[in-house]
Coordinates of all heavy atoms in Angstrom, one line a residue:
M232 N -16.5 23.4 13.7 CA -15.7 22.3 13.1 C -16.6 21.1 13.1 O -17.2 20.7 14.2 CB -14.4 22.1 13.9 CG -13.5 21.0 13.4 SD -12.1 20.7 14.4 CE -11.1 22.2 14.1
S233 N -16.6 20.4 12.0 CA -17.4 19.2 11.9 C -16.8 18.0 12.6 O -15.6 18.0 12.9 CB -17.7 18.8 10.5 OG -16.5 18.3 9.9
Q234 N -17.6 17.0 12.9 CA -17.0 15.8 13.5 C -15.9 15.2 12.6 O -14.9 14.7 13.2 CB -18.1 14.7 13.7 CG -17.7 13.5 14.4 CD -17.2 13.7 15.8 OE1 -17.6 14.6 16.5 NE2 -16.3 12.9 16.3
I235 N -16.1 15.2 11.3 CA -15.1 14.6 10.4 C -13.8 15.4 10.5 O -12.7 14.9 10.6 CB -15.6 14.6 9.0 CG1 -16.8 13.6 8.9 CG2 -14.5 14.2 8.0 CD1 -17.5 13.7 7.5
D236 N -13.9 16.7 10.6 CA -12.7 17.6 10.7 C -12.0 17.3 12.0 O -10.8 17.3 12.1 CB -13.1 19.1 10.7 CG -13.5 19.5 9.3 OD1 -13.2 18.8 8.3 OD2 -14.2 20.5 9.2
R237 N -12.7 17.1 13.1 CA -12.1 16.8 14.4 C -11.4 15.5 14.4 O -10.3 15.4 14.9 CB -13.2 16.8 15.5 CG -13.7 18.2 15.9 CD -14.6 18.2 17.1 NE -15.2 19.5 17.2 CZ -16.5 19.7 17.4 NH1 -17.3 18.7 17.4 NH2 -16.9 20.9 17.5
E238 N -12.0 14.5 13.8 CA -11.4 13.2 13.7 C -10.1 13.3 12.8 O -9.1 12.7 13.2 CB -12.4 12.2 13.1 CG -13.5 11.8 14.1 CD -14.5 10.8 13.5 OE1 -14.2 10.3 12.3 OE2 -15.5 10.6 14.1
K239 N -10.2 14.0 11.7 CA -9.1 14.1 10.8 C -7.9 14.8 11.6 O -6.8 14.4 11.5 CB -9.4 14.9 9.6 CG -8.4 15.0 8.6 CD -8.9 15.8 7.3 CE -7.8 15.9 6.3 NZ -8.3 16.6 5.1
Q240 N -8.2 15.9 12.3 CA -7.2 16.6 13.1 C -6.7 15.7 14.2 O -5.4 15.7 14.4 CB -7.8 17.8 13.7 CG -6.8 18.7 14.4 CD -7.5 20.0 15.0 OE1 -8.7 20.0 15.2 NE2 -6.6 20.9 15.3
A241 N -7.5 14.9 14.9 CA -7.0 14.1 15.9 C -6.1 13.0 15.4 O -5.2 12.5 16.1 CB -8.2 13.4 16.7
H242 N -6.3 12.5 14.2 CA -5.5 11.4 13.6 C -4.3 11.9 12.8 O -3.5 11.2 12.4 CB -6.4 10.5 12.8 CG -7.4 9.8 13.6 ND1 -7.0 8.9 14.6 CD2 -8.7 9.8 13.6 CE1 -8.1 8.4 15.2 NE2 -9.2 8.9 14.6
S243 N -4.3 13.2 12.5 CA -3.2 13.7 11.7 C -1.9 13.8 12.6 O -2.0 14.1 13.8 CB -3.5 15.2 11.2 OG -3.5 16.1 12.3
R244 N -0.8 13.4 12.0 CA 0.4 13.4 12.7 C 1.3 14.5 12.1 O 1.2 14.8 11.0 CB 1.2 12.1 12.5 CG 0.5 10.8 13.0 CD 1.2 9.6 12.6 NE 1.7 9.8 11.2 CZ 2.5 8.9 10.7 NH1 2.9 7.8 11.2 NH2 3.0 9.1 9.4
S245 N 2.0 15.1 13.0 CA 3.0 16.1 12.5 C 4.2 16.1 13.5 O 4.1 15.6 14.6 CB 2.3 17.5 12.5 OG 2.0 17.9 13.8
Y246 N 5.3 16.6 13.0 CA 6.5 16.8 13.8 C 6.2 17.7 15.0 O 5.7 18.8 14.7 CB 7.6 17.3 13.0 CG 8.8 17.6 13.8 CD1 9.6 16.7 14.3 CD2 9.2 19.0 13.9 CE1 10.8 17.0 15.1 CE2 10.3 19.3 14.7 CZ 11.1 18.3 15.2 OH 12.2 18.7 16.0
N247 N 6.5 17.3 16.2 CA 6.2 18.2 17.3 C 7.5 18.4 18.1 O 7.8 17.6 19.0 CB 5.2 17.5 18.2 CG 4.7 18.4 19.4 OD1 5.0 19.6 19.3 ND2 4.2 17.8 20.4
G248 N 8.3 19.3 17.7 CA 9.5 19.6 18.3 C 10.1 20.9 17.9 O 9.4 21.7 17.2
P249 N 11.3 21.2 18.2 CA 11.9 22.5 17.9 C 12.2 22.5 16.3 O 12.3 21.5 15.7 CB 13.2 22.5 18.7 CG 13.5 21.1 18.9 CD 12.2 20.4 19.0
N250 N 12.5 23.7 15.9 CA 12.8 23.9 14.5 C 14.1 23.2 14.2 O 15.1 23.5 14.8 CB 13.0 25.4 14.2 CG 13.3 25.7 12.8 OD1 13.8 24.9 12.1 ND2 12.9 26.9 12.4
P251 N 14.1 22.2 13.3 CA 15.2 21.3 13.1 C 16.4 22.1 12.5 O 17.6 21.7 12.7 CB 14.8 20.2 12.2 CG 13.4 20.6 11.7 CD 12.9 21.7 12.6
I252 N 16.2 23.2 11.8 CA 17.3 23.9 11.2 C 17.9 24.8 12.2 O 19.0 25.4 11.9 CB 16.9 24.6 9.8 CG1 15.9 25.7 10.1 CG2 16.5 23.6 8.8 CD1 15.7 26.5 8.8
R253 N 17.3 25.1 13.3 CA 17.9 25.9 14.3 C 18.5 25.1 15.5 O 19.1 25.7 16.3 CB 16.8 26.9 14.9 CG 16.4 27.9 13.9 CD 15.5 28.9 14.5 NE 15.1 29.9 13.5 CZ 14.3 30.8 13.7 NH1 13.6 30.9 14.9 NH2 14.0 31.7 12.8
M254 N 18.2 23.8 15.5 CA 18.8 22.9 16.5 C 20.3 22.9 16.4 O 20.8 22.9 15.3 CB 18.2 21.5 16.4 CG 16.8 21.4 16.7 SD 16.2 19.7 16.4 CE 16.9 18.9 17.9
N255 N 21.0 22.8 17.5 CA 22.4 22.6 17.4 C 22.7 21.1 16.9 O 21.8 20.3 17.1 CB 23.2 23.0 18.6 CG 22.9 22.1 19.8 OD1 22.8 20.8 19.7 ND2 22.7 22.7 21.0
D256 N 23.8 20.8 16.4 CA 24.1 19.5 15.9 C 24.1 18.4 16.9 O 23.6 17.3 16.6 CB 25.5 19.5 15.2 CG 25.5 20.3 13.9 OD1 24.5 20.6 13.3 OD2 26.6 20.7 13.5
Q257 N 24.5 18.7 18.1 CA 24.4 17.7 19.2 C 23.0 17.3 19.4 O 22.7 16.1 19.5 CB 25.1 18.2 20.4 CG 25.1 17.2 21.6 CD 25.7 17.7 22.8 OE1 26.2 18.9 22.9 NE2 25.8 16.9 23.9
D258 N 22.1 18.2 19.6 CA 20.7 17.9 19.9 C 20.1 17.2 18.7 O 19.3 16.2 18.9 CB 19.9 19.2 20.2 CG 20.3 19.8 21.6 OD1 21.0 19.1 22.4 OD2 19.9 20.9 21.8
W259 N 20.4 17.6 17.5 CA 19.9 17.0 16.3 C 20.3 15.5 16.3 O 19.5 14.6 16.0 CB 20.4 17.7 15.1 CG 20.1 17.0 13.8 CD1 21.0 16.3 13.0 CD2 18.8 17.0 13.1 NE1 20.4 15.8 11.9 CE2 19.1 16.2 11.9 CE3 17.6 17.5 13.3 CZ2 18.0 15.9 11.0 CZ3 16.6 17.2 12.4 CH2 16.8 16.4 11.2
N260 N 21.6 15.3 16.5 CA 22.1 13.9 16.5 C 21.5 13.0 17.6 O 21.2 11.8 17.3 CB 23.6 13.9 16.6 CG 24.3 14.4 15.3 OD1 23.8 14.3 14.2 ND2 25.4 15.1 15.5
V261 N 21.2 13.6 18.7 CA 20.5 12.8 19.8 C 19.1 12.5 19.3 O 18.7 11.3 19.4 CB 20.4 13.6 21.1 CG1 19.5 13.0 22.1 CG2 21.8 13.7 21.7
M262 N 18.4 13.4 18.7 CA 17.1 13.2 18.2 C 17.0 12.1 17.2 O 16.0 11.3 17.2 CB 16.4 14.5 17.7 CG 15.0 14.3 17.4 SD 14.2 15.9 17.0 CE 14.6 16.0 15.3
I263 N 17.9 12.0 16.3 CA 17.9 11.0 15.2 C 18.7 9.8 15.5 O 18.9 8.9 14.6 CB 18.2 11.6 13.8 CG1 19.7 12.1 13.8 CG2 17.3 12.8 13.5 CD1 20.2 12.5 12.4
S264 N 19.2 9.7 16.7 CA 20.2 8.6 17.0 C 19.6 7.2 16.8 O 20.4 6.2 16.5 CB 20.8 8.8 18.4 OG 19.7 8.6 19.4
A265 N 18.4 7.0 17.0 CA 17.8 5.6 16.9 C 17.5 5.2 15.5 O 17.1 4.0 15.2 CB 16.5 5.6 17.7
L266 N 17.8 6.0 14.5 CA 17.5 5.7 13.1 C 18.6 4.9 12.5 O 19.7 4.9 13.0 CB 17.2 7.0 12.3 CG 16.1 7.9 12.8 CD1 16.1 9.2 12.0 CD2 14.8 7.2 12.7
S267 N 18.3 4.3 11.3 CA 19.3 3.6 10.6 C 20.3 4.7 10.0 O 19.9 5.8 9.8 CB 18.7 2.8 9.5 OG 18.2 3.6 8.5
N268 N 21.4 4.2 9.6 CA 22.4 5.1 8.9 C 21.8 5.8 7.7 O 22.0 6.9 7.4 CB 23.7 4.4 8.6 CG 24.5 4.2 9.9 OD1 24.4 4.8 10.9 ND2 25.4 3.2 9.8
E269 N 21.1 5.0 6.9 CA 20.4 5.5 5.7 C 19.4 6.6 6.0 O 19.4 7.6 5.3 CB 19.7 4.3 4.9 CG 19.2 4.7 3.6 CD 18.6 3.5 2.9 OE1 19.4 2.7 2.4 OE2 17.3 3.4 2.9
Q270 N 18.6 6.4 7.0 CA 17.6 7.4 7.4 C 18.3 8.7 7.9 O 17.9 9.8 7.6 CB 16.7 6.8 8.5 CG 15.7 5.8 8.0 CD 15.0 5.1 9.1 OE1 15.6 4.8 10.2 NE2 13.7 5.0 8.9
K271 N 19.4 8.5 8.7 CA 20.2 9.6 9.2 C 20.7 10.4 8.0 O 20.7 11.7 8.1 CB 21.3 9.2 10.1 CG 20.8 8.6 11.5 CD 22.0 8.2 12.2 CE 21.6 7.5 13.5 NZ 22.8 6.9 14.2
E272 N 21.3 9.7 7.1 CA 21.9 10.4 5.9 C 20.8 11.2 5.2 O 21.0 12.4 4.8 CB 22.5 9.4 5.0 CG 23.9 8.9 5.4 CD 24.5 7.9 4.5 OE1 24.2 8.0 3.3 OE2 25.2 7.0 4.9
E273 N 19.6 10.6 5.0 CA 18.6 11.3 4.3 C 18.1 12.5 5.0 O 18.0 13.6 4.5 CB 17.4 10.4 4.1 CG 16.2 11.0 3.4 CD 15.0 10.1 3.3 OE1 15.0 8.9 3.7 OE2 13.9 10.6 2.8
L274 N 17.9 12.4 6.4 CA 17.5 13.6 7.2 C 18.6 14.6 7.2 O 18.3 15.8 7.2 CB 17.1 13.1 8.6 CG 15.8 12.4 8.7 CD1 15.5 11.9 10.1 CD2 14.6 13.4 8.3
N275 N 19.9 14.2 7.4 CA 20.9 15.2 7.4 C 21.0 16.0 6.1 O 21.3 17.2 6.1 CB 22.3 14.5 7.7 CG 22.4 14.1 9.2 OD1 21.9 14.8 10.0 ND2 23.1 13.1 9.4
E276 N 20.8 15.3 5.0 CA 20.8 16.0 3.7 C 19.7 17.0 3.6 O 19.8 18.1 3.1 CB 20.8 15.0 2.5 CG 20.8 15.6 1.2 CD 22.0 16.5 0.9 OE1 23.1 16.1 1.4 OE2 21.9 17.4 0.1
L277 N 18.5 16.5 4.0 CA 17.3 17.4 3.9 C 17.5 18.6 4.8 O 17.1 19.7 4.5 CB 16.0 16.6 4.3 CG 15.6 15.6 3.3 CD1 14.4 14.8 3.9 CD2 15.2 16.3 2.0
R278 N 18.1 18.4 6.0 CA 18.3 19.5 7.0 C 19.3 20.5 6.4 O 19.2 21.7 6.5 CB 18.8 18.9 8.3 CG 19.1 19.9 9.3 CD 19.5 19.3 10.7 NE 19.7 20.2 11.7 CZ 20.9 20.3 12.4 NH1 21.8 19.4 12.1 NH2 21.0 21.2 13.3
H279 N 20.4 19.9 5.8 CA 21.4 20.8 5.1 C 20.8 21.6 4.0 O 21.0 22.8 4.0 CB 22.5 19.9 4.6 CG 23.6 20.7 3.9 ND1 24.5 21.5 4.5 CD2 23.8 20.8 2.5 CE1 25.3 22.1 3.6 NE2 24.9 21.7 2.4
Q280 N 19.9 21.0 3.2 CA 19.3 21.8 2.1 C 18.4 22.8 2.7 O 18.4 24.0 2.2 CB 18.5 20.8 1.2 CG 19.3 19.9 0.4 CD 18.5 18.9 -0.3 OE1 17.2 18.8 -0.2 NE2 19.1 18.0 -1.1
A281 N 17.6 22.5 3.7 CA 16.7 23.5 4.3 C 17.5 24.6 4.9 O 17.1 25.8 4.8 CB 15.8 22.8 5.4
R282 N 18.6 24.3 5.6 CA 19.4 25.4 6.2 C 20.0 26.3 5.1 O 19.9 27.5 5.2 CB 20.6 24.8 7.0 CG 20.2 24.4 8.3 CD 21.5 23.8 9.0 NE 21.3 23.9 10.5 CZ 22.2 23.5 11.3 NH1 23.3 22.9 10.9 NH2 21.9 23.6 12.6
C283 N 20.5 25.7 4.0 CA 21.1 26.6 2.9 C 20.0 27.4 2.3 O 20.3 28.6 2.0 CB 21.7 25.7 1.9 SG 23.3 24.9 2.5
C284 N 18.9 26.8 2.0 CA 17.8 27.6 1.4 C 17.3 28.7 2.3 O 17.0 29.8 1.8 CB 16.6 26.7 1.1 SG 17.0 25.5 -0.3
A285 N 17.2 28.4 3.6 CA 16.8 29.5 4.6 C 17.8 30.6 4.6 O 17.4 31.8 4.6 CB 16.6 28.9 5.9
R286 N 19.1 30.3 4.6 CA 20.1 31.3 4.6 C 20.0 32.2 3.4 O 20.1 33.4 3.5 CB 21.5 30.7 4.7 CG 21.9 30.2 6.0 CD 23.3 29.8 6.1 NE 23.5 28.9 7.3 CZ 23.9 27.7 7.2 NH1 24.2 27.1 6.1 NH2 24.0 27.0 8.3
M287 N 19.8 31.6 2.2 CA 19.7 32.4 1.0 C 18.4 33.3 1.0 O 18.4 34.4 0.6 CB 19.6 31.5 -0.3 CG 21.0 30.9 -0.6 SD 21.1 30.1 -2.2 CE 19.5 29.4 -2.5
A288 N 17.3 32.7 1.6 CA 16.1 33.4 1.6 C 16.1 34.7 2.5 O 15.4 35.6 2.2 CB 15.0 32.5 2.1
V289 N 16.9 34.6 3.6 CA 17.0 35.8 4.5 C 18.1 36.7 4.2 O 18.2 37.8 4.8 CB 17.0 35.3 6.0 CG1 15.7 34.5 6.3 CG2 18.2 34.5 6.3
S290 N 19.0 36.3 3.3 CA 20.1 37.2 3.1 C 19.7 38.4 2.2 O 18.9 38.2 1.3 CB 21.3 36.5 2.4 OG 20.9 36.1 1.1
G291 N 20.1 39.6 2.5 CA 19.6 40.8 1.8 C 19.9 40.7 0.3 O 19.0 41.1 -0.5
A292 N 21.0 40.3 -0.1 CA 21.4 40.3 -1.6 C 20.7 39.2 -2.4 O 20.4 39.4 -3.5 CB 22.9 40.2 -1.7
Q293 N 20.3 38.1 -1.7 CA 19.8 37.0 -2.5 C 18.3 36.8 -2.3 O 17.7 36.0 -3.0 CB 20.5 35.7 -2.0 CG 22.0 35.7 -2.1 CD 22.4 35.4 -3.6 OE1 21.7 34.7 -4.3 NE2 23.5 35.9 -3.9
A294 N 17.6 37.5 -1.4 CA 16.2 37.2 -1.1 C 15.3 37.6 -2.2 O 15.3 38.8 -2.7 CB 15.8 38.0 0.2
T295 N 14.5 36.7 -2.7 CA 13.5 36.9 -3.7 C 12.3 36.0 -3.4 O 12.4 35.2 -2.5 CB 14.0 36.5 -5.1 OG1 14.2 35.1 -5.2 CG2 15.3 37.3 -5.5
A296 N 11.2 36.2 -4.1 CA 10.1 35.4 -3.9 C 10.4 33.9 -4.2 O 9.9 33.0 -3.5 CB 8.9 35.9 -4.7
V297 N 11.2 33.7 -5.1 CA 11.6 32.3 -5.5 C 12.4 31.7 -4.4 O 12.2 30.5 -4.0 CB 12.4 32.3 -6.8 CG1 12.9 30.9 -7.1 CG2 11.5 32.8 -8.0
T298 N 13.4 32.4 -3.8 CA 14.2 31.8 -2.8 C 13.4 31.6 -1.5 O 13.6 30.6 -0.8 CB 15.5 32.7 -2.4 OG1 15.0 34.0 -2.0 CG2 16.4 32.8 -3.6
L299 N 12.4 32.4 -1.2 CA 11.5 32.2 -0.1 C 10.7 31.0 -0.3 O 10.5 30.1 0.6 CB 10.6 33.4 0.1 CG 11.3 34.7 0.6 CD1 10.4 35.9 0.6 CD2 11.9 34.5 2.0
E300 N 10.2 30.8 -1.5 CA 9.4 29.6 -1.8 C 10.2 28.3 -1.8 O 9.8 27.3 -1.3 CB 8.8 29.7 -3.2 CG 7.8 28.6 -3.6 CD 7.1 28.8 -4.9 OE1 7.0 30.0 -5.3 OE2 6.6 27.8 -5.4
V301 N 11.5 28.4 -2.3 CA 12.3 27.2 -2.2 C 12.7 26.9 -0.8 O 12.7 25.7 -0.4 CB 13.6 27.5 -3.1 CG1 14.7 26.4 -2.8 CG2 13.3 27.6 -4.5
A302 N 12.9 27.9 0.0 CA 13.2 27.6 1.5 C 12.0 27.0 2.2 O 12.2 26.1 2.9 CB 13.6 28.9 2.1
E303 N 10.8 27.5 1.9 CA 9.6 27.0 2.5 C 9.4 25.5 2.0 O 9.1 24.7 2.9 CB 8.4 27.8 2.1 CG 7.1 27.4 2.7 CD 6.0 28.3 2.3 OE1 6.1 29.5 2.6 OE2 5.0 27.8 1.7
T304 N 9.6 25.2 0.8 CA 9.4 23.9 0.3 C 10.5 22.9 0.9 O 10.1 21.8 1.3 CB 9.6 23.9 -1.3 OG1 8.6 24.7 -1.8 CG2 9.4 22.5 -1.8
A305 N 11.7 23.4 1.0 CA 12.7 22.5 1.7 C 12.4 22.2 3.1 O 12.6 21.1 3.6 CB 14.1 23.2 1.6
M306 N 11.9 23.2 3.8 CA 11.5 23.0 5.2 C 10.3 22.0 5.3 O 10.3 21.1 6.1 CB 11.2 24.3 5.9 CG 10.9 24.2 7.3 SD 12.4 23.7 8.2 CE 11.9 23.9 9.9
E307 N 9.3 22.2 4.4 CA 8.2 21.3 4.4 C 8.6 19.9 4.1 O 8.1 18.9 4.8 CB 7.2 21.7 3.3 CG 6.4 23.0 3.7 CD 5.5 23.5 2.6 OE1 5.4 22.8 1.5 OE2 4.9 24.5 2.7
V308 N 9.5 19.6 3.2 CA 10.0 18.3 2.9 C 10.7 17.7 4.1 O 10.4 16.5 4.5 CB 10.9 18.3 1.7 CG1 11.6 17.0 1.5 CG2 10.2 18.7 0.4
L309 N 11.5 18.5 4.8 CA 12.2 18.0 6.0 C 11.2 17.7 7.1 O 11.2 16.6 7.7 CB 13.2 19.1 6.5 CG 13.8 18.8 7.9 CD1 14.6 17.5 7.8 CD2 14.7 20.0 8.3
L310 N 10.2 18.5 7.4 CA 9.2 18.2 8.4 C 8.3 17.0 8.0 O 8.0 16.2 8.9 CB 8.4 19.5 8.7 CG 9.1 20.7 9.3 CD1 8.2 21.9 9.4 CD2 9.7 20.3 10.6
R311 N 8.0 16.9 6.8 CA 7.2 15.8 6.3 C 7.9 14.5 6.5 O 7.4 13.5 7.0 CB 6.7 16.0 4.9 CG 5.8 14.8 4.4 CD 5.2 15.1 3.0 NE 6.3 15.3 2.0 CZ 6.5 16.4 1.3 NH1 5.6 17.4 1.5 NH2 7.4 16.5 0.4
T312 N 9.2 14.5 6.2 CA 10.0 13.3 6.3 C 10.2 12.9 7.8 O 10.1 11.8 8.2 CB 11.4 13.5 5.7 OG1 11.2 13.9 4.3 CG2 12.2 12.2 5.7
L313 N 10.4 13.9 8.7 CA 10.5 13.7 10.1 C 9.2 13.0 10.6 O 9.2 12.1 11.4 CB 10.7 15.0 10.9 CG 12.1 15.5 10.8 CD1 12.2 16.9 11.4 CD2 13.1 14.6 11.6
T314 N 8.0 13.5 10.1 CA 6.7 13.0 10.5 C 6.6 11.5 10.0 O 6.2 10.6 10.7 CB 5.6 13.8 9.9 OG1 5.7 15.1 10.5 CG2 4.2 13.3 10.3
E315 N 6.9 11.3 8.7 CA 6.8 10.0 8.1 C 7.7 9.0 8.9 O 7.3 7.8 9.0 CB 7.2 10.0 6.6 CG 6.2 10.7 5.8 CD 6.6 11.0 4.4 OE1 7.8 10.7 4.0 OE2 5.8 11.5 3.6
M316 N 8.9 9.4 9.3 CA 9.8 8.5 10.1 C 9.4 8.4 11.6 O 10.0 7.8 12.3 CB 11.2 9.0 9.9 CG 11.8 8.8 8.6 SD 13.5 9.3 8.6 CE 13.9 9.0 6.9
E317 N 8.3 9.1 11.9 CA 7.8 9.1 13.3 C 8.8 9.6 14.3 O 9.0 9.0 15.4 CB 7.2 7.8 13.6 CG 6.0 7.4 12.7 CD 5.4 6.1 13.1 OE1 5.8 5.4 14.0 OE2 4.4 5.7 12.4
I318 N 9.5 10.6 14.0 CA 10.5 11.2 14.8 C 9.8 12.0 15.9 O 9.0 12.8 15.6 CB 11.5 12.1 14.1 CG1 12.1 11.4 12.9 CG2 12.6 12.7 15.0 CD1 12.9 10.2 13.3
S319 N 10.2 11.7 17.1 CA 9.6 12.6 18.2 C 10.8 13.3 18.9 O 11.9 12.8 18.9 CB 8.9 11.7 19.2 OG 9.7 10.7 19.8
F320 N 10.5 14.3 19.5 CA 11.5 15.1 20.2 C 11.6 14.7 21.6 O 10.7 14.9 22.4 CB 11.1 16.6 20.1 CG 12.1 17.5 20.7 CD1 13.4 17.7 20.2 CD2 11.8 18.2 21.9 CE1 14.3 18.5 20.8 CE2 12.7 19.1 22.5 CZ 14.0 19.2 22.0
P321 N 12.8 14.2 22.1 CA 12.9 13.7 23.5 C 13.3 14.8 24.4 O 14.4 15.1 24.6 CB 14.1 12.7 23.4 CG 14.9 13.2 22.2 CD 13.9 13.9 21.3
F322 N 12.3 15.5 25.0 CA 12.5 16.6 25.8 C 13.4 16.3 27.0 O 14.2 17.1 27.4 CB 11.2 17.2 26.4 CG 10.3 17.8 25.3 CD1 9.2 17.2 24.8 CD2 10.6 19.1 24.9 CE1 8.5 17.8 23.8 CE2 9.9 19.7 23.9 CZ 8.8 19.0 23.4
D323 N 13.4 15.1 27.6 CA 14.2 14.8 28.7 C 15.7 14.7 28.4 O 16.5 14.9 29.3 CB 13.7 13.4 29.3 CG 12.3 13.4 29.8 OD1 11.8 14.5 30.1 OD2 11.7 12.3 29.9
G324 N 16.0 14.5 27.2 CA 17.4 14.4 26.8 C 18.1 15.7 26.6 O 19.3 15.7 26.3
F325 N 17.5 16.8 26.7 CA 18.1 18.1 26.3 C 18.2 19.0 27.5 O 17.3 19.1 28.4 CB 17.2 18.8 25.2 CG 17.2 18.1 23.9 CD1 16.3 17.1 23.7 CD2 18.2 18.3 23.0 CE1 16.3 16.4 22.5 CE2 18.2 17.7 21.8 CZ 17.3 16.7 21.5
S326 N 19.3 19.7 27.5 CA 19.5 20.7 28.6 C 19.1 22.1 28.0 O 19.3 22.4 26.8 CB 20.9 20.8 29.0 OG 21.8 21.1 27.9
F327 N 18.4 22.9 28.8 CA 17.9 24.2 28.3 C 18.8 25.3 28.9 O 19.3 25.1 30.1 CB 16.5 24.4 28.7 CG 15.5 23.6 28.0 CD1 15.0 22.4 28.6 CD2 15.2 23.8 26.7 CE1 14.1 21.6 28.0 CE2 14.3 23.0 26.0 CZ 13.8 21.9 26.7
S328 N 19.0 26.3 28.2 CA 19.9 27.4 28.7 C 19.2 28.7 28.4 O 18.1 28.8 27.8 CB 21.2 27.4 28.0 OG 21.1 27.6 26.6
G329 N 19.7 29.8 28.9 CA 19.1 31.1 28.7 C 17.8 31.3 29.4 O 17.7 30.9 30.6
S330 N 16.8 31.8 28.8 CA 15.6 32.1 29.4 C 14.8 30.8 29.7 O 13.8 30.9 30.4 CB 14.7 33.0 28.6 OG 14.4 32.4 27.3
Y331 N 15.2 29.7 29.2 CA 14.5 28.4 29.4 C 15.0 27.7 30.7 O 14.4 26.8 31.1 CB 14.5 27.5 28.2 CG 13.9 28.1 27.0 CD1 14.6 28.6 26.0 CD2 12.5 28.2 26.9 CE1 14.0 29.2 24.9 CE2 11.9 28.7 25.8 CZ 12.7 29.2 24.8 OH 12.1 29.7 23.7
A332 N 16.2 28.1 31.2 CA 16.8 27.4 32.3 C 16.0 27.6 33.6 O 15.4 28.5 33.8 CB 18.2 27.8 32.5

């Protein structure tokens, strides 16, 4: 890896947290609680779209290459928006259950 690649990687930002479409609503709301109402609405809509697209992509009757691509694109838009809004995942605010407890 070149020095330029390392610098680019070091300065690249990305969302670093759990899959937002698999988070429960309470954890999601805690994570976005500091945002403005407009930002929350935008993220909630993107999350809803990503969830719906993912459901269609994995359902046996509806799954096609197109639905998979649409689901992937919806998730990319959601993650990119989380990154642009500099959303971080507050690990201290969440309780873990199951094998993580």
Side-chain angles (χ1 to χ4, degrees):
M232 181 182 291
S233 72
Q234 181 64 27
I235 294 172
D236 291 339
R237 285 187 191 131
E238 289 176 10
K239 186 177 180 181
Q240 185 178 19
H242 295 296
S243 68
R244 298 176 320 175
S245 63
Y246 170 73
N247 186 18
N250 184 331
I252 64 174
R253 291 186 179 175
M254 293 176 76
N255 66 44
D256 290 340
Q257 180 181 1
D258 291 347
W259 171 258
N260 289 329
V261 168
M262 188 173 81
I263 66 170
S264 64
L266 300 175
S267 71
N268 287 337
E269 185 176 285
Q270 290 172 314
K271 288 177 189 176
E272 285 180 31
E273 178 182 358
L274 285 173
N275 283 328
E276 179 61 31
L277 291 172
R278 182 175 179 235
H279 176 73
Q280 289 173 2
R282 278 182 158 177
C283 290
C284 291
R286 282 187 199 119
M287 284 192 328
V289 298
S290 69
Q293 301 282 333
T295 66
V297 173
T298 57
L299 292 171
E300 186 174 337
V301 169
E303 184 177 300
T304 301
M306 188 64 170
E307 286 174 5
V308 170
L309 174 58
L310 295 176
R311 183 175 56 244
T312 304
L313 286 167
T314 300
E315 289 169 357
M316 291 184 182
E317 298 181 0
I318 305 299
S319 60
F320 180 69
F322 289 103
D323 295 338
F325 293 89
S326 59
F327 292 101
S328 61
S330 61
Y331 296 104

